[in-house]
Each structure stands twice: as structure tokens, then as C-alpha cells.
Amino acid sequence: MLTLQLAVFAVCPFVLALTTHAFAPASSIVSSRTTNTPIRQRTVPSKLHESKDANMTDEEREIAMEKALKAMTAFSNKYTENTGTFYCSDKSIPAVVIKGLAEHKVTLGAPLCPCRFYEDKEKEAKEGYWNCPCVPMRERHECHCMLFLTEDNDFVGEETVG
């Protein structure tokens, strides 16, 4: 299992940014946001790059995140079914990636791949190349995030994310 985690950390730097939830089951990602723990502070975006959630209250953002997380989970489950791909056997991998997609859906208005670095996320989201499922996934079944795996991948699991 350690080898799998190291492989994902090397491939997906976004995983490191979410270490708080990185190894939590998908269902706890939503439920942990409704606890009494303080919501992390967000920086105020500049006028040039105003986030889609800039005018939301913390409560509105939490509701939007829960809705986006459910939508991205449903999308991912349906996509694996339609394409014959699978999730990773380590459930924390798809949980973190789906959470990142949901965050981008709320902040950018599009499910931009959370596992890549972008100079300008809003520009990339508008261009659509890296919006999930990205062009490499649609054309060649190559998922950089290890969210959608082909059956010949050593890390394939059998379950869906709930």
C-alpha cells in the first residue's frame, strides 16, 4: 500500500495539499465539513481572477461544496461504468481527486483536473482541455490523477465510491 501512496504522491501533487482528508473515506469528506471545526480561511481573490465563490458566505460555500461533491461522485461512478474503467484499490485516491474536482467546480465553475499545476486556473478551465474527463482520458484512457484506471493497471480496485 505504501508503494501505491508514494506513486500517487509523485504523480499527483494535489494529494499532498489535501493531507487533512487524504486518507479519509469519501463519505467523511462531506461530513467533516459539517463539524464544529473552523472553516479554513480563504484569501480574497483579486479583481483580475475573481473566484466563482468569492461572494458566498461560508455556509453557502459549504452547501455548494456538498452539492458539487455529490455531483462529481455521481459523475465519476457513471463515467467508470460507461467507459469500463475502474477506481484505485486505495479508496483515498479517488476520494481526494473527486474532492478536488468538486472544489474546482465551486471555485472555477468547471471540474478542472486537481492534479496539475496551472499558471492560470481560470484560463485552463475555460479552455476545457484539462476539465474532467480531460482530453487524454477521453482519447487514450490516460488519467494523470489515477481516478479512472484501465483494467491492466496494477492498482485497479473493484468498488465504486459512495
Side-chain angles (χ1 to χ4, degrees):
M1 191 60 69
L2 183 58
T3 306
L4 171 62
Q5 291 168 352
L6 292 175
V8 172
F9 288 149
V11 173
C12 188
F14 182 74
V15 173
L16 291 174
L18 293 173
T19 54
T20 308
H21 300 294
F23 299 104
S27 60
S28 69
I29 291 173
V30 174
S31 62
S32 68
R33 296 283 294 158
T34 59
T35 62
N36 291 331
T37 57
I39 296 174
R40 66 186 148 101
Q41 296 294 319
R42 294 188 308 273
T43 57
V44 178
S46 70
K47 291 286 184 192
L48 180 62
H49 297 291
E50 190 164 320
S51 178
K52 299 279 187 212
D53 65 340
N55 296 323
M56 289 183 185
T57 65
D58 287 342
E59 191 174 318
E60 290 170 331
R61 186 176 194 289
E62 184 175 335
I63 291 167
M65 273 299 300
E66 287 180 24
K67 183 178 175 182
L69 187 56
K70 287 178 184 177
M72 292 313 306
T73 299
F75 157 76
S76 299
N77 285 334
K78 190 69 172 170
Y79 192 79
T80 58
E81 181 183 313
N82 289 344
T83 59
T85 55
F86 302 88
Y87 289 126
C88 184
S89 57
D90 180 349
K91 292 302 211 185
S92 66
I93 306 303
V96 169
V97 175
I98 291 170
K99 181 176 186 284
L101 291 169
E103 286 180 351
H104 283 164
K105 185 92 169 124
V106 171
T107 60
L108 302 169
L112 185 67
C113 174
C115 299
R116 295 189 173 275
F117 172 78
Y118 308 98
E119 291 290 330
D120 185 342
K121 286 184 179 184
E122 284 145 357
K123 178 183 171 198
E124 293 290 344
K126 286 178 186 171
E127 288 178 0
Y129 186 89
W130 293 114
N131 290 346
C132 189
C134 65
V135 172
M137 182 61 210
R138 290 188 306 246
E139 291 180 354
R140 300 181 302 275
H141 280 180
E142 294 174 2
C143 182
H144 175 78
C145 299
M146 292 184 65
L147 177 58
F148 305 118
L149 303 176
T150 56
E151 64 185 329
D152 60 338
N153 190 298
D154 292 338
F155 301 116
V156 164
E158 295 297 322
E159 299 175 35
T160 61
V161 175

